[in-house]
């Protein structure tokens, strides 16, 4: 027993040694900083957006929203037990999906527009066919042992989920079975984002770490630390080389995958609220981050400066999303309304 | 944080009215805060409001928990009811409370509309338990009757204020609301606290204590540690790109795509959400791509293939060179990934027959290694059997065909025709410009038109 213990100790020392080496390697490539490099870039000035649409229809807190690939339809989930699919151009509600469990926390639209997924405290991800005459439950993906915090479709046959049980999972929708389970986080997984080429995805968790995973292999490829509290929101920079995270520690951070470290952080001494959600403009130049202070603040991604604010909600902003055509941004809030801005 | 700020220190602000027991004016509170904490009046108001919104003090004649810097009377909440006790009052408690209020014949205890609605709802919800709740309420009323009149007045108001916090008046923000995902960790003492007064931490934020030890101590067994070492070695072997290069690449990307970002550069002819004019969408959907769009296909192969029109043009170019099999293979594999399971095996075989088999009609150039691996994969065909082959072909297209495509006449002509079209538009007559701007609404020319109309 003692011999084994000693061996484990030796191995742990090796781990620590490797970690130090990695830190040194990271410091070695740190030959400049983003702020300095971007000082030459033209400023975007003050970004003042106007509210273009007010989507009223939910009766309780909105917890999540997701744009459809056509940049026209959008689905929102509220704790009034309904999913609503909106036509954002007209403001009309197209489909209402009643949920078995009202404690919904996540919603996703399939790229085809045929399917919608939602889940929450019921620990399940339910997939609905919304092109049928009335929304039909296609599958109930039941294997997580914790709440479902986020889900994203790869296609009509595969979906990724993130859960409070600290794992993420890739499911096959035809069989309803788990294909790959991604374990490495030691805190509830709060959010995930798929890379544009769908080969990898990133997850943010309550252990304050962001991780990059290979979808097919199931392995954690990279880990990013730096936050001091739960990471609630995560997104890919459009070039796929960097990721942005938002946390309860009131900061957003950008990590570059190639430099394997933090590149920039977005923090303001006047902001004391946690970040609940975030989305990027199509060029990646702007970050729209929703906060607990009822506002959505806009950041210049390259310079790290706050360049605008979207005020109008009467309670915390719980979800933010920019459609694929990048024409506007949608914010959803606990005040039960969704607002479209540009 | 509430414990530090509220409570005992403020209590020393003395109450004075005789008829209305134990009150304090809003102005007094603000003054005291300013004096004791040495802060400005706006800061004192802000702090006071925060304290009030949490329910530590409340206005005696209102249900809305805020602070006014005037003669409005406030009362302090009884320590028993303080939020710091982490109350999560059940609906049964609320039901007993509302029931109690209806039993006492006092105008000041009459239920407000929303309270009556709540009571009705609770009666339906607790139909079976109602007898029990009623009895509890009766017992409470009996006890209350025994108390001193003034004391009762104070206690009643404090109790009401408590419920104003946990069952707020509709329209007020419920400050006790927690994100349900974080609820079960509420009592975690290690949760990172944020400064209420906007005080920023100097220097880098320290690691929260719970995270560092947990990270390392999780790996207990020898196997776990060995896995960790393996992972770390891979990390170490990874080539880290220099920060300066990273910055360069990120800046480069945004600069290139900036003109395509509707938040930075207003799209041409207009952003449909702003102008309520769908011409932008019509143009995007039409078979005539704008010059800007054609230019984007030159950014990378991904961009060209992402756009159906770009993909179409690239395919036609390759067909003219008799080298379209690579792209057709790539497209077939993309399609295979989205097929329903029952079709997969057949499709996979079809793809093999078309592109890879001996004597295939559209043979693609695959290296022997990938060829071996793919044929092995096909023994058990799945959606991703061709993943490696697809990657290989993609890189071939990227390094070879794509660059030729960009230099080709068919692409260059389209790019320049589009450019020519926009200069053509510049030469249109002023009348045409007038009608165009009338159709497309808010534009600079619109302003000039009004000027014209006024002068004529």
């Amino acid at each position: 027993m003692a011999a084994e213990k000693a061996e484990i100790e030796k191995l742990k020392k090796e781990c620590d040694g490797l970690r130090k080496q990695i830190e040194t390697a990271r410091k070695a490539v740190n030959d400049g900083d983003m702020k300095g490099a971007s000082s030459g870039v033209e400023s975007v000035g003050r970004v003042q957006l106007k509210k273009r649409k007010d989507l009223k229809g939910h009766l309780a807190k909105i917890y999540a929203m997701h744009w459809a690939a056509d940049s026209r339809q959008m689905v929102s989930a509220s704790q009034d037990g309904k999913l609503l699919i909106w036509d954002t151009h007209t403001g009309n509600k197209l489909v209402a999906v009643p949920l078995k469990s009202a404690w919904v926390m996540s919603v996703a639209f399939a790229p085809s527009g045929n399917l919608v997924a939602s889940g929450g405290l019921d620990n399940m991800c339910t997939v609905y066919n919304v092109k049928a005459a009335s929304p039909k439950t296609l599958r109930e993906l039941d294997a997580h042992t914790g709440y479902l915090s986020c889900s994203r479709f790869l296609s009509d046959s595969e979906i990724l989920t993130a859960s409070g049980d600290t794992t993420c999972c890739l499911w096959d929708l035809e069989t309803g079975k788990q294909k790959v389970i991604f374990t490495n986080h030691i805190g509830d997984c709060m959010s995930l984002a798929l890379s544009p080429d769908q080969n990898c995805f990133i997850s943010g968790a309550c252990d304050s770490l962001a991780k990059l995973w290979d979808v097919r292999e199931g392995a954690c490829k990279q880990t990013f630390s730096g936050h001091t509290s739960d990471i609630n929101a995560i997104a890919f920079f459009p070039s796929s080389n960097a990721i942005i995270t938002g946390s309860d520690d009131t900061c957003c951070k950008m990590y570059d995958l190639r430099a394997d470290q933090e590149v920039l952080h977005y923090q303001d001494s006047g902001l004391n609220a946690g970040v609940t959600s975030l989305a990027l403009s199509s060029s990646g130049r702007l970050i729209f981050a929703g906060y607990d202070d009822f506002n959505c603040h806009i950041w210049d991604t390259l310079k790290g400066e706050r360049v605008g604010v979207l005020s109008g909600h009467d309670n915390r902003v719980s979800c933010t999303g920019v459609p694929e055509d990048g024409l506007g941004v949608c914010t959803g809030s606990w005040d039960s309304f969704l607002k479209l801005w540009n | 944080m509430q414990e530090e700020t509220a409570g005992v220190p403020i209590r020393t602000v003395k109450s004075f009215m005789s008829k209305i027991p134990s009150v304090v004016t809003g102005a007094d509170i603000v003054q005291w805060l300013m004096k004791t904490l040495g802060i400005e009046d706006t800061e004192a108001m802000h702090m006071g409001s925060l304290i009030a919104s949490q329910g530590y003090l409340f206005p005696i004649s209102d249900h809305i928990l805020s602070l006014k810097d005037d003669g409005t009377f406030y009362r302090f909440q009884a320590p028993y009811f303080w939020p710091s006790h982490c109350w999560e009052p059940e609906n049964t408690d609320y039901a007993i409370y509302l029931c109690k209020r209806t039993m006492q014949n006092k105008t000041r205890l009459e239920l407000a509309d929303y309270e009556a609605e709540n009571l009705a709802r609770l009666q339906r919800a607790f139909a079976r338990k109602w007898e029990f709740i009623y009895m509890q309420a009766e017992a409470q009323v009996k006890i209350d009757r025994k108390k001193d009149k003034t004391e009762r007045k104070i206690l009643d108001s404090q109790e009401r204020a408590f419920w104003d916090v946990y069952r707020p008046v509709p329209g007020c923000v419920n400050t006790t609301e927690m994100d349900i995902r974080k609820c079960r960790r509420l009592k975690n003492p290690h949760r990172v606290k944020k400064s209420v007064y906007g005080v920023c931490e100097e220097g880098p934020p320290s690691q929260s204590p719970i995270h560092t030890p947990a990270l390392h101590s999780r790996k207990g067994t020898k196997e776990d540690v060995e896995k960790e070492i393996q992972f770390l070695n891979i990390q170490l072997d990874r080539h880290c790109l220099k920060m300066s290069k990273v910055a360069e690449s990120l800046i480069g990307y945004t600069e290139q795509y900036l003109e395509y970002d509707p938040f930075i550069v207003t799209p041409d002819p207009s952003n449909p959400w702003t102008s309520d004019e769908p011409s932008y969408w019509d143009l995007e959907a039409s078979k005539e791509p704008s010059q800007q769009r054609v230019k984007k296909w030159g950014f990378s192969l991904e961009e060209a293939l992402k756009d159906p029109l770009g993909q179409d043009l690239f395919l036609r170019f390759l067909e003219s060179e008799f080298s379209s099999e690579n792209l057709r293979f790539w497209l077939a594999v993309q399609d295979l990934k989205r097929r329903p399971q029952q079709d997969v095996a057949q499709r996979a075989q079809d793809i093999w027959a078309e592109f890879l088999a001996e004597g295939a009609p559209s043979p693609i150039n695959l290296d022997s290694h990938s060829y071996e691996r793919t044929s092995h994969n096909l023994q058990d065909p799945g959606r991703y059997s061709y993943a490696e082959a697809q990657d290989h072909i993609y890189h071939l297209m990227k390094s070879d065909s794509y660059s030729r495509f960009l230099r080709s006449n068919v692409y260059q002509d389209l790019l320049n025709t589009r450019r020519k079209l926009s200069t053509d538009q510049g030469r249109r007559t002023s009348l045409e410009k007038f009608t165009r701007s009338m159709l497309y609404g808010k534009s600079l020319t619109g302003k000039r038109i009004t000027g014209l109309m006024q002068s004529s």
Side-chain angles (χ1 to χ4, degrees), chain A residues 129-164:
Chain A
N129 177 342
V130 293
K131 282 293 198 285
S134 75
K136 221 175 71 135
T137 305
L138 185 72
R139 282 254 170 262
E140 280 179 346
L141 307 174
D142 191 1
H144 278 299
T145 53
Y147 59 80
L148 202 87
S149 52
C150 192
S151 50
R152 284 291 177 258
F153 283 93
L154 278 82
S155 64
D156 278 7
S157 14
E158 291 181 307
I159 189 171
L160 266 173
T161 55
S163 166

Side-chain angles (χ1 to χ4, degrees), chain A residues 188-331:
Chain A
D188 308 7
C189 291
M190 295 297 283
S191 159
L192 68 87
L194 198 53
S195 69
D197 65 6
Q198 299 200 344
N199 288 334
C200 45
F201 76 93
I202 43 178
S203 62
C206 290
D207 55 9
S208 76
L209 303 172
K211 290 186 186 281
L212 174 73
W213 310 83
D214 181 310
V215 175
R216 301 292 140 211
E217 288 169 30
C220 168
K221 296 208 294 193
Q222 277 175 274
T223 302
F224 302 95
S225 58
H227 277 296
T228 53
S229 187
D230 310 352
I231 293 179
N232 297 320
I234 198 164
F236 266 102
F237 186 78
S239 72
S240 308
N241 298 81
I243 69 175
I244 318 276
T245 53
S247 162
D248 267 348
D249 65 8
T250 77
C251 260
C252 289
K253 287 183 193 286
M254 172 157 69
Y255 297 92
D256 188 280
L257 304 182
R258 300 158 299 182
D260 196 33
Q261 57 189 294
E262 183 183 319
V263 168
L264 199 51
H265 72 213
Y266 308 91
Q267 194 179 25
D268 187 312
S269 54
L271 274 180
N272 284 316
V275 181
T276 60
S277 53
L278 63 89
L280 274 75
S281 71
S282 55
S283 67
R285 187 63 195 271
L286 300 175
I287 299 174
F288 298 98
Y291 287 74
D292 284 346
D293 70 356
F294 307 1
N295 295 321
C296 178
H297 295 275
I298 311 175
W299 296 87
D300 178 333
T301 317
L302 298 179
K303 290 182 184 266
E305 297 163 348
R306 200 147 62 92
V307 292
V309 64
L310 305 176
S311 288
H313 282 294
D314 295 321
N315 206 325
R316 76 166 68 158
V317 174
S318 54
C319 46
T320 317
V322 171
E324 244 175 80
D325 64 8
L327 287 176
V329 59
C330 178
T331 53

